[in-house]
Amino acid sequence: QVQLVESGGGSVQAGDSLRLSCAPSGRTFSRYATGWFRQAPGKEREFLAGISWSGRDTVYADSVRGRFTISTDNAKDTVYLQMNSLKREDTAIYYCAAQGATLQNRHREYDIWGQGTQVTVSS
């Protein structure tokens, strides 16, 4: 029943910025890491960025490195994706997902997902 909720999406012009948020729905939970993904119509889901629970370790896809920044707050509950210099090709549904820190998830799969938030970039 544990879920994540994304927020902060919307319609913007090319060159604008958005900050997406990913927060637990209901009770908090332990996780190894949290990642951001996106999926455009007719395309495969794409990994964008990941961050460890501590926030000390991050990884970025080449497509967004230098433009997007992933971060977490002091409570380590909410994860953010700061998106700068947005391009039309960034238009997609953006999802966050967590690697739940459970005995069942020893392979650290992204097993907890949000419902997605739409980002539309026009030019």
Side-chain angles (χ1 to χ4, degrees):
Q1 195 173 15
V2 175
Q3 290 183 265
L4 296 169
V5 178
E6 303 93 338
S7 61
S11 298
V12 299
Q13 296 292 312
D16 287 351
S17 297
L18 281 174
R19 189 181 73 162
L20 306 182
S21 298
C22 173
S25 177
R27 67 184 185 276
T28 59
F29 59 93
S30 298
R31 83 282 296 280
Y32 299 117
T34 305
W36 284 96
F37 301 76
R38 69 185 179 191
Q39 188 167 23
K43 301 182 69 175
E44 293 292 312
R45 182 174 293 165
E46 176 188 15
F47 171 82
L48 301 176
I51 188 168
S52 63
W53 172 84
S54 68
R56 291 194 292 267
D57 303 302
T58 59
V59 62
Y60 295 92
D62 290 341
S63 60
V64 303
R65 185 177 292 109
R67 295 191 299 125
F68 292 7
T69 303
I70 190 169
S71 63
T72 188
D73 62 7
N74 290 335
K76 308 297 189 292
D77 289 331
T78 302
V79 175
Y80 305 93
L81 186 68
Q82 178 67 43
M83 305 187 295
N84 297 329
S85 302
L86 284 164
K87 307 172 181 179
R88 192 176 69 175
E89 52 263 44
D90 293 320
T91 296
I93 300 175
Y94 284 69
Y95 299 89
C96 68
Q99 300 172 356
T102 66
L103 292 175
Q104 297 90 337
N105 197 27
R106 60 188 182 275
H107 298 305
R108 300 191 179 190
E109 299 178 1
Y110 285 102
D111 57 350
I112 305 172
W113 289 80
Q115 79 292 332
T117 185
Q118 177 70 48
V119 172
T120 302
V121 184
S122 301
S123 62

